[in-house]
């Protein structure tokens, strides 16, 4: 037996996106690239902004001696200062480099946060639909996730949330704008979540962190402003990355930020830096840390995603799909016309359209479409989406 039973089970549970990816390759080999419409992956097709290439060229043509060496485990001081400065402007709070730890993407950052906070048996509360890796990340550190179901707009059902917080809860993990729904949590939602956490901390005599996984923070539409958790809760941590806002997912660069008004933050930050080191990341990749420091106020052209959102949303609603209009990120999560989302995905596949069933995100009865894709892929998927719907209506 090559792998443990546990990992074999996890691989089965967490493989929807990978499975669609592999089936996509097979279908493309059979029918040709242009005849298969793969809306299953969140891998942006747009390139990083020109400022990224300018900075990369500038840096490569005048390399700083010693840049490839080990560095402090929290990351480069200059980069952390730049991140702190940007967060200070966005939140009005006095961030310094001390509150920033550079990480290997948001995924690396979340592992560092969970490892730092949880004893074996501890829990994180998460909200469905969720990024499937959360369960595996919590398990990496001897913990687990408790799931709260959503209302019809994919917002938390607050009474269910209240019941999900126990004396084992160390963190409440939110993701807004959300993968897979594109929904943004408003200030009011953050306020309600914070009040419930306060209430539960008092009830159990515990400390509970609000953790925000926000790689899509800057991918917001309709001129919406991003409500930062730091303005709603003192005991709060952000884990994010430049995978989506600078279109650099392969470079594995992100950061953790701790609320600068948290009094006992020093021990927490020491713990985060220790875990960044001992999880084997050691430090975030050096070269890309040098580059992203000066790009903190730069973002890919969000208008491109907004246009794709408008196009796909209008088309789906016009066909008769029920969809919550995304406010950010680059996914939408329509209701499956039949209860069995996997059967519906199979029907879509017959029309050479690939999507991910909602159960891959802990919410059966829906399916996820990515639109960080070429227009031709999105356009080409529409006839198949129409035919699959027609079969069941
Ligand atoms: C909600 C969410 N969190 C975390 C990640 C991981 O991002 P990163 O590439 O920064 O590790 C992703 C990637 O798709 C995501 O969608």
């Amino acid at each position: 037996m090559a792998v443990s039973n546990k990992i074999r089970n996890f691989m089965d549970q967490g493989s929807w996106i990978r499975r669609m990816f592999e089936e996509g390759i097979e279908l493309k080999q059979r029918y040709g690239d242009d005849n298969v419409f793969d809306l299953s992956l969140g891998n942006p097709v747009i390139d990083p902004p020109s400022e990224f290439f300018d900075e990369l060229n500038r840096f490569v043509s005048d390399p700083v001696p010693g840049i490839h060496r080990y560095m402090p485990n929290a990351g480069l001081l200059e980069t952390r200062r730049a991140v702190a400065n940007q967060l200070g402007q966005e939140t009005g709070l006095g961030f310094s480099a001390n509150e920033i730890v550079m990480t290997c993407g948001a995924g690396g950052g979340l592992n560092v946060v969970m490892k730092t906070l949880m004893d074996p048996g501890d829990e994180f509360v998460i909200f469905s639909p969720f990024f499937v890796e959360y369960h595996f990340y919590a398990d990496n550190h001897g913990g687990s996730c408790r799931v709260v179901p959503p209302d019809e707009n994919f917002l938390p059902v607050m009474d269910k949330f209240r019941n999900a917080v126990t004396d084992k809860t160390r963190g409440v993990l939110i993701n807004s704008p959300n993968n897979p729904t594109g929904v943004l949590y408003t200030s009011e939602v953050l306020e309600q979540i914070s009040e419930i956490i306060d209430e539960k901390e008092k009830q159990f005599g515990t400390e509970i962190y609000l953790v925000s996984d926000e790689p899509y923070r800057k991918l917001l539409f309709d001129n919406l402003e991003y409500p930062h958790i730091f303005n709603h809760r003192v005991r709060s941590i952000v884990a994010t990355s430049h995978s989506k806002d600078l279109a650099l997912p392969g470079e594995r660069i992100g950061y953790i930020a701790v609320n600068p008004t948290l009094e006992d933050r020093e021990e927490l930050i020491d713990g985060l830096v220790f875990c960044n080191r001992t999880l084997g990341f050691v430090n975030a990749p050096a070269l890309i840390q040098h580059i992203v420091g000066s790009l903190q106020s730069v973002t890919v052209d969000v208008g491109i995603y907004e246009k794709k959102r408008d196009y796909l949303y209008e088309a789906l609603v016009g066909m008769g799909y029920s969809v919550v209009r995304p406010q950010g990120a680059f996914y939408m999560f329509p209701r499956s016309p039949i209860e069995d989302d996997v059967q519906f995905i199979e029907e879509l596949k017959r029309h050479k359209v690939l999507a991910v069933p909602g159960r891959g995100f802990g919410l059966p009865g829906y399916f996820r479409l990515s639109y960080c894709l070429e227009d031709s892929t999105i356009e080409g998927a529409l006839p198949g989406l129409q035919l699959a719907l027609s079969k069941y209506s």
Side-chain angles (χ1 to χ4, degrees):
M1 193 172 24
V3 298
S4 69
N5 290 328
K6 183 170 96 174
I7 292 300
R8 183 162 341 107
N9 284 339
F10 279 5
M11 281 160 58
D12 271 353
Q13 291 163 33
S15 63
W16 278 110
I17 296 179
R18 177 81 10 208
R19 223 177 284 168
M20 299 316 292
F21 180 63
E22 277 153 17
E23 289 185 14
I25 294 175
E26 206 184 295
L27 281 180
K28 281 175 190 163
Q29 278 166 356
R30 209 168 338 140
Y31 297 106
D33 277 8
D34 294 343
N35 299 314
V36 178
F37 308 101
D38 187 351
L39 276 60
S40 68
L41 277 183
N43 202 3
V45 291
I46 62 177
D47 278 327
S50 59
E51 290 90 336
F52 167 79
F53 294 103
D54 293 345
E55 187 60 12
L56 186 62
N57 282 330
R58 189 194 61 73
F59 193 74
V60 168
S61 57
D62 184 17
V64 179
I67 59 157
H68 304 296
R69 296 185 192 143
Y70 286 123
M71 66 178 79
N73 301 115
L76 294 169
L77 185 59
E78 276 312 303
T79 307
R80 287 158 53 222
R81 269 197 191 129
V83 170
N85 190 28
Q86 176 68 23
L87 283 176
Q89 285 176 31
E90 289 182 31
T91 63
L93 300 174
F95 279 91
S96 75
N98 292 339
E99 282 94 37
I100 311 298
V101 180
M102 300 307 295
T103 61
C104 293
L110 286 168
N111 271 281
V112 169
V113 171
M114 285 186 173
K115 185 162 194 72
T116 308
L117 296 183
M118 286 198 294
D119 275 316
D122 282 349
E123 295 175 352
F124 261 69
V125 173
I126 62 173
F127 300 90
S128 79
F130 49 75
F131 182 53
V132 68
E133 311 295 57
Y134 292 160
H135 280 295
F136 309 131
Y137 292 171
D139 178 82
N140 285 344
H141 314 295
S144 61
C145 291
R146 220 173 249 265
V147 180
V148 177
D151 68 13
E152 64 285 359
N153 293 312
F154 302 126
L155 293 170
V157 178
M158 292 299 168
D159 281 342
K160 299 239 164 85
F161 170 46
R162 188 176 279 109
N163 292 337
V165 182
T166 72
D167 59 350
K168 295 269 178 215
T169 306
R170 284 296 277 148
V172 172
L173 176 56
I174 61 171
N175 166 228
S176 161
N178 181 264
N179 173 10
T181 66
V183 164
L184 176 75
Y185 284 14
T186 60
S187 291
E188 290 72 36
V189 171
L190 297 181
E191 208 50 44
Q192 285 173 27
I193 289 176
S194 299
E195 278 168 19
I196 291 172
I197 299 177
D198 283 346
E199 181 190 312
K200 290 290 166 179
E201 279 185 331
K202 280 198 198 98
Q203 179 183 342
F204 297 121
T206 51
E207 289 178 351
I208 301 174
Y209 288 83
L210 179 58
V211 179
S212 174
D213 171 27
E214 51 191 60
Y216 305 96
R217 175 171 96 225
K218 296 188 182 166
L219 304 190
L220 270 190
F221 311 141
D222 310 320
N223 297 317
L224 287 167
E225 292 243 333
Y226 191 72
H228 277 274
I229 59 163
F230 294 130
N231 298 119
H232 292 277
R233 183 166 177 77
V234 173
R235 196 166 287 289
S236 55
I237 304 173
V238 160
T240 188
S241 74
H242 296 301
S243 294
K244 320 289 173 171
D245 62 19
L246 292 175
L248 296 172
E251 300 301 341
R252 312 309 306 138
I253 187 68
Y255 61 83
I256 298 168
V258 172
N259 193 321
T261 66
L262 180 67
E263 263 180 32
D264 53 356
R265 64 188 181 286
E266 210 175 297
E267 190 188 2
L268 170 66
I269 294 162
D270 287 349
L272 294 168
V273 174
F274 175 83
C275 290
N276 203 31
R277 182 184 108 209
T278 56
L279 276 170
F281 298 125
V282 183
N283 55 249
L287 184 59
I288 199 73
Q289 280 198 61
H290 278 282
I291 308 297
V292 298
S294 62
L295 301 178
Q296 287 305 303
S297 59
V298 178
T299 307
V300 292
D301 181 354
V302 178
I304 295 178
Y305 289 135
E306 189 162 351
K307 278 202 199 102
K308 291 179 196 287
R309 186 271 318 251
D310 290 343
Y311 178 78
L312 184 58
Y313 175 78
E314 298 300 332
L316 291 175
V317 170
M319 288 175 201
Y321 280 99
S322 162
V323 198
V324 173
R325 190 165 180 262
Q327 295 156 303
F330 40 53
Y331 310 101
M332 52 187 89
F333 203 55
R335 189 183 274 281
S336 162
I338 50 173
E339 216 175 296
D340 187 342
D341 48 328
V342 172
Q343 191 186 329
F344 186 65
I345 291 298
E346 286 300 319
E347 182 59 26
L348 282 174
K349 221 187 316 164
R350 274 192 271 283
H351 301 288
K352 307 190 189 64
V353 175
L354 301 179
V356 188
R359 71 190 56 191
F361 305 92
L363 198 64
Y366 295 83
F367 61 102
R368 187 189 78 171
L369 298 173
S370 293
Y371 54 89
C372 54
L373 305 165
E374 301 292 356
D375 288 344
S376 57
T377 309
I378 301 171
E379 281 161 26
L382 297 186
L385 282 157
Q386 176 76 76
L387 285 167
L389 179 66
S390 306
K391 174 164 178 181
Y392 298 108
S393 34

